[in-house]
Amino acid sequence: MTSDTARSPQLLRRINSDALVRFALDSGVFTAADAMRRTGLTRATVLGVCADLVEAGWLEEAAEVPSGRSSRGGRPARRYALRASAGVVLGLDAAEHHFTVIVSDLRGVELGAATRPVASIRATGPERQQAAREVRDAALAAAGREAGDVLLSVVGVPAPVDGQGRTLTSGDYWPIMNPGFDEPLGGTVLLENDANLAAMAEDSLLDDTDSVTVLMGERIGAGVVVDGRLLRGARGGAGEMRFWQMLGGVPRAEGEGEAEGFPSLARLWTRAFAHEVEAPSVLSGRSDPELNGPVLMAAAAAGDPLAALVVERMADRLSRLALVLASLVDVDRVVVAGQAADWSGPILDRAGVLLQDMPHPVPELVLSTLGADVVARGAVASALSRIRRAPSEFEPRGGLVGAGAVVGA
């Protein structure tokens, strides 16, 4: 115990309170003795803080052990549990073309979810904020909860985000993707880059592995976890793919942007490289909606020459990206997550073969198993982690402490 803590009973009470809430989050029904063993606090402290937490709404007293089941005589020990209605967290994936919300209880059990399409960059900031509220309401209804039950909302946006939740950049795309979401979705609102949230979700499944999670949708971004810490950068731009245009020797098509993902490349490259194959292709003449990833992979598996060329160039690009990332941050693993993870397995297989010829260590390439909701799941994980770090910053059932603030995660 530091001298500052000893001189501040209020600070000490807060530290003890946070310790007991964290213990309750990991426990079912518990007694004071259970909490004493885990936290090292005295019986008097545990009982006093538990009484405060019951009053605050974090805990509730559980029913006594039924008669005849107690192994000891005398007055039964008081039993406590985290109050199920203390609150929920909300994770929002505010992607370019869709919004997905997952509502979870404070132990990480999913209670409800909803997804809605969004009009891409044609939507204004206020329109995206309204869409966020609508999908939030649908997810909360599915969970049987209300906005006032939300302690913390974490929003993933396809843009760099600094520590204050801002996107500090010029241009049109990123500011539209991050309009601020300054009208609270519920409780405190934290903003984070979507690839960073995907990286947090993937990192929770790995054992002490330095990794890069490549979020592969219409656009591409990456979240980097090294030494157990998420890399951000001064403006939240770590993992952005703007460097790609600076690399020489990378196959590119006319009109290709700086951060195109596999789904958009399936359309763009099928047209751009059609002149490089002489044999007819089943992909020729198809409309944009028909030139999707599964169609491309099925054609390649059937021996279509154009599809095979596009897949080969995707594998080449992924192998180059993995080498660049491994060289810069020395990671063990590159995880491909997001929209393309369901169908890009053959691309990873081929990229792995290309990497075998490299004379230096290369990262393992793996597909995410978390599906299309990886960003929303990462947002939930981030929210739960934030509450665990400092429960006393939050008021159960949407109280006033920190409510309505919009900051970076």
Side-chain angles (χ1 to χ4, degrees):
M1 181 184 303
T2 67
S3 58
D4 289 341
T5 303
R7 288 195 299 267
S8 174
Q10 184 178 10
L11 176 59
L12 181 59
R13 196 75 167 181
R14 176 172 176 169
I15 292 172
N16 293 340
S17 174
D18 283 353
L20 279 169
V21 172
R22 282 191 288 268
F23 171 69
L25 288 169
D26 293 334
S27 308
V29 176
F30 65 92
T31 65
D34 298 327
M36 290 165 58
R37 283 191 292 270
R38 176 70 68 86
T39 64
L41 300 175
T42 67
R43 180 177 182 83
T45 297
V46 167
L47 290 174
V49 173
C50 282
D52 291 343
L53 292 174
V54 169
E55 183 177 356
W58 280 111
L59 302 182
E60 60 187 0
E61 288 202 46
E64 295 181 358
V65 177
S67 177
R69 294 183 59 186
S70 177
S71 60
R72 297 184 301 176
R75 182 178 179 180
R78 287 186 173 179
R79 305 165 77 240
Y80 302 93
L82 183 74
R83 188 163 62 91
S85 59
V88 297
V89 298
L90 182 151
L92 166 62
D93 175 11
E96 179 179 351
H97 297 282
H98 71 274
F99 283 3
T100 296
V101 166
I102 294 177
V103 178
S104 164
D105 71 12
L106 298 181
R107 289 195 172 99
V109 176
E110 182 177 320
L111 302 176
T115 299
R116 296 287 186 276
V118 179
S120 186
I121 60 174
R122 293 187 298 275
T124 64
E127 288 171 337
R128 289 179 69 81
Q129 291 174 331
Q130 177 60 30
R133 288 190 292 273
E134 290 174 358
V135 72
R136 171 207 63 184
D137 291 343
L140 285 171
R145 299 300 181 96
E146 300 176 350
D149 296 321
V150 181
L151 302 189
L152 177 60
S153 300
V154 174
V155 183
V157 295
V161 177
D162 71 4
Q164 284 70 51
R166 303 169 300 183
T167 295
L168 303 176
T169 184
S170 59
D172 297 329
Y173 178 80
W174 280 339
I176 291 175
M177 293 299 103
N178 181 13
F181 296 95
D182 50 357
E183 295 185 24
L185 295 171
T188 301
V189 180
L190 305 181
L191 300 180
E192 179 58 275
N193 171 261
D194 55 356
N196 285 349
L197 292 176
M200 293 178 194
E202 294 294 338
D203 184 61
S204 68
L205 304 179
L206 303 176
D207 296 326
D208 298 324
T209 300
D210 294 332
S211 65
V212 174
T213 296
V214 176
L215 188 62
M216 188 71 76
E218 288 294 315
R219 294 168 64 88
I220 181 175
V224 184
V225 176
V226 175
D227 297 332
R229 297 175 62 87
L230 179 72
L231 301 186
R232 288 185 169 281
R235 290 164 292 278
E240 293 296 332
M241 296 291 111
R242 290 169 291 184
F243 69 86
W244 202 246
Q245 288 184 327
M246 307 173 192
L247 297 180
V250 179
R252 303 186 62 81
E254 183 178 353
E256 183 179 329
E258 64 184 10
E260 304 285 357
F262 286 167
S264 59
L265 291 178
R267 300 187 300 271
L268 185 64
W269 284 0
T270 298
R271 292 194 174 89
F273 301 139
H275 67 280
E276 297 187 19
V277 297
E278 296 181 359
S281 170
V282 299
L283 302 179
S284 299
R286 294 205 176 209
S287 64
D288 277 359
E290 295 176 309
L291 289 176
N292 56 44
V295 168
L296 174 69
M297 303 312 295
D304 184 273
L306 178 55
L309 174 63
V310 172
V311 169
E312 180 70 15
R313 293 198 169 179
M314 287 181 173
D316 176 75
R317 174 161 294 191
L318 180 60
S319 66
R320 290 171 183 265
L321 177 60
L323 284 174
V324 170
L325 294 171
S327 177
L328 287 174
V329 291
D330 191 24
V331 293
D332 302 311
R333 185 172 298 178
V334 173
V335 183
V336 175
Q339 181 182 345
D342 289 341
W343 51 264
S344 55
I347 299 174
L348 267 72
D349 292 341
R350 178 57 183 159
V353 172
L354 296 175
L355 288 173
Q356 289 177 2
D357 295 331
M358 298 300 160
H360 46 76
V362 295
E364 178 187 11
L365 289 174
V366 298
L367 285 173
S368 171
T369 61
L370 296 179
D373 295 339
V374 61
V375 174
R377 294 183 185 282
V380 167
S382 177
L384 294 172
S385 176
R386 179 65 176 261
I387 288 177
R388 287 183 64 86
R389 287 202 305 269
S392 53
E393 292 182 2
F394 302 91
E395 187 78 14
R397 294 187 58 81
L400 298 178
V401 179
V406 181
V407 298

